[in-house]
Amino acid sequence: MATAKKGGLGKGLDSLITNKVGTLGTVETVRKPEPDKDVVFVKTAKIEPNRKQPRRSFEEDSLIELSESLKQYGVLQPLLVQDKKDYYEIIAGERRWRAAKIAGLKEIPVIIKNLTEQETVEISLIENIQREDLNPIEEAMAFKRLLKEFNMKQDEVAERVSKSRTAVTNSIRLLKLDERVQQMVIEDLISSGHARALLAIEDNEKQYMIAQKIFDEKLSVRETEKLIKKLQKEKTELSKKPREDSRIFVYEDIEQKLKAIMGTKVAIRQKDKEKGKIEIEYYSDNELERILELFQSIHQPIN
């Protein structure tokens, strides 16, 4: 995981939170909270997740474990939310919110922020990347959304999330995989390294079959790369075979014609694409003389 750069949204979530919740879980002020500054408690039921946030999967066991901690200590780090009038939409902290619901907490601390949709996506993405919460496919989809919806360039996306441009490019390429293979990555049945190797296979069915083989046989990334190179080599050789087969068929046809004319076995031996030799068998001196006389008597070319 690359270290977050300083400056911009990539500098980390802590810089977005000016006040922390005290150990007793109380708000330090009684005045009306100022957006972007004050930590306030709101009803858990009034908070809803952002349906467009990058993260889609949450491990149930991990949530239950966190909920037990929340029962004992409460939510120590506030969520970032936006005021949608009828409810508060989560910008960052959905995992804590889910765990708080499991723990039965009626209220949780939040910081209300006023952000554009693009800033909301960026912060959600940064939070999950910094916490290593996104699987490779979720991360790729988030990068693609920044590129498509907000017309950002890959260099800009890379700078926002403190990653290299190559890392962003390789991440987005995973979305070219067959959907079944993508699901295997999401379920952690194969790694992103395996997935990148599979990009060399264009046929979706073959991609999926090899992905299953990787999982079943517990192949390493290096073993997978060797397997795919071997399959590609076989494919190249196979693509040449039909032309060779057609040439062999022509030779066999000519051999049969010569055999019918000469009354003995004839074989055509190919040395390379342009050269070869013709072998005519004979079984006695008399047969050799007969073949010689046959050549001398032929005045028309063989059809």
Side-chain angles (χ1 to χ4, degrees):
M1 180 62 61
T3 303
K5 295 179 181 177
K6 294 181 180 179
L9 288 170
K11 63 187 176 182
L13 288 174
D14 286 345
S15 64
L16 300 171
I17 303 174
T18 55
N19 291 339
K20 300 287 184 179
V21 181
T23 55
L24 297 179
T26 58
V27 182
E28 297 176 357
T29 178
V30 293
R31 60 183 167 76
K32 185 176 180 180
E34 294 183 40
D36 295 353
K37 291 184 178 181
D38 293 326
V39 177
V40 296
F41 278 81
V42 300
K43 292 182 179 179
T44 307
K46 292 283 288 184
I47 299 173
E48 294 185 13
N50 180 354
R51 293 179 178 84
K52 293 185 178 181
Q53 88 116 330
R55 191 174 185 186
R56 292 288 181 268
S57 60
F58 295 85
E59 293 183 8
E60 186 176 351
D61 291 344
S62 177
L63 287 175
I64 293 174
E65 183 179 340
L66 178 58
S67 71
E68 292 300 321
S69 175
L70 297 186
K71 287 178 183 178
Q72 186 173 359
Y73 301 107
V75 180
L76 299 180
Q77 183 178 8
L79 283 66
L80 300 183
V81 300
Q82 288 200 92
D83 189 349
K84 295 291 186 178
K85 294 184 179 179
D86 295 331
Y87 66 96
Y88 294 96
E89 184 180 73
I90 298 172
I91 299 170
E94 182 174 341
R95 182 170 175 270
R96 277 164 277 154
W97 170 72
R98 288 175 177 267
K101 288 179 65 179
I102 295 173
L105 301 184
K106 301 300 181 183
E107 292 184 331
I108 53 177
V110 303
I111 293 177
I112 302 170
K113 299 191 69 67
N114 295 322
L115 300 173
T116 65
E117 185 176 0
Q118 180 175 335
E119 288 172 332
T120 300
V121 175
E122 289 180 18
I123 291 175
S124 296
L125 179 57
I126 291 165
E127 183 206 30
N128 285 302
I129 288 176
Q130 289 180 346
R131 296 178 183 275
E132 301 183 358
D133 283 341
L134 294 180
N135 64 59
I137 301 302
E138 289 173 333
E139 186 175 89
M141 292 175 70
F143 290 155
K144 185 176 180 181
R145 186 180 176 203
L146 289 173
L147 292 172
K148 298 295 183 182
E149 290 189 26
F150 305 112
N151 297 316
M152 295 177 68
K153 296 179 180 179
Q154 289 195 12
D155 289 338
E156 293 177 290
V157 174
E159 184 178 358
R160 290 290 203 283
V161 300
S162 300
K163 284 181 175 283
S164 68
R165 186 182 187 280
T166 301
V168 172
T169 301
N170 287 337
S171 175
I172 294 172
R173 288 178 65 228
L174 295 180
L175 299 179
K176 295 180 180 180
L177 291 167
D178 180 80
E179 290 184 0
R180 293 167 296 179
V181 178
Q182 291 186 37
Q183 188 59 39
M184 291 181 72
V185 177
I186 291 172
E187 295 173 4
D188 202 25
L189 301 180
I190 61 174
S191 71
S192 56
H194 290 119
R196 282 193 293 272
L198 286 168
L199 285 167
I201 305 296
E202 296 180 359
D203 185 270
N204 284 354
E205 285 300 324
K206 286 184 179 178
Q207 264 187 17
Y208 182 53
M209 288 175 61
I210 296 172
Q212 289 180 310
K213 182 181 179 69
I214 292 169
F215 175 72
D216 291 339
E217 300 182 14
K218 302 294 184 290
L219 299 181
S220 67
V221 173
R222 181 169 293 184
E223 288 171 334
T224 301
E225 291 170 345
K226 287 182 179 179
L227 172 63
I228 290 173
K229 284 182 181 179
K230 179 182 176 183
L231 292 174
Q232 287 178 317
K233 183 178 179 181
E234 290 175 353
K235 181 182 178 182
T236 301
E237 292 174 350
L238 189 62
S239 65
K240 294 179 181 178
K241 195 171 181 180
R243 291 195 294 271
E244 294 172 355
D245 287 348
S246 62
R247 188 175 295 159
I248 290 171
F249 177 78
V250 171
Y251 291 161
E252 288 178 349
D253 185 51
I254 294 174
E255 285 175 350
Q256 291 301 318
K257 287 181 179 180
L258 290 171
K259 180 179 179 181
I261 293 171
M262 298 185 183
T264 189
K265 184 177 179 181
V266 179
I268 298 176
R269 307 295 185 189
Q270 183 186 5
K271 291 185 177 180
D272 54 39
K273 291 183 178 180
E274 303 295 334
K275 297 179 182 180
K277 63 181 178 179
I278 299 175
E279 295 179 354
I280 302 171
E281 291 190 8
Y282 63 93
Y283 304 99
S284 66
D285 289 342
N286 290 335
E287 188 170 23
L288 177 58
E289 290 181 6
R290 181 184 66 77
I291 293 172
L292 181 59
E293 290 174 359
L294 181 62
F295 275 122
Q296 291 173 340
S297 65
I298 293 175
H299 299 289
Q300 293 183 352
I302 301 173
N303 294 325

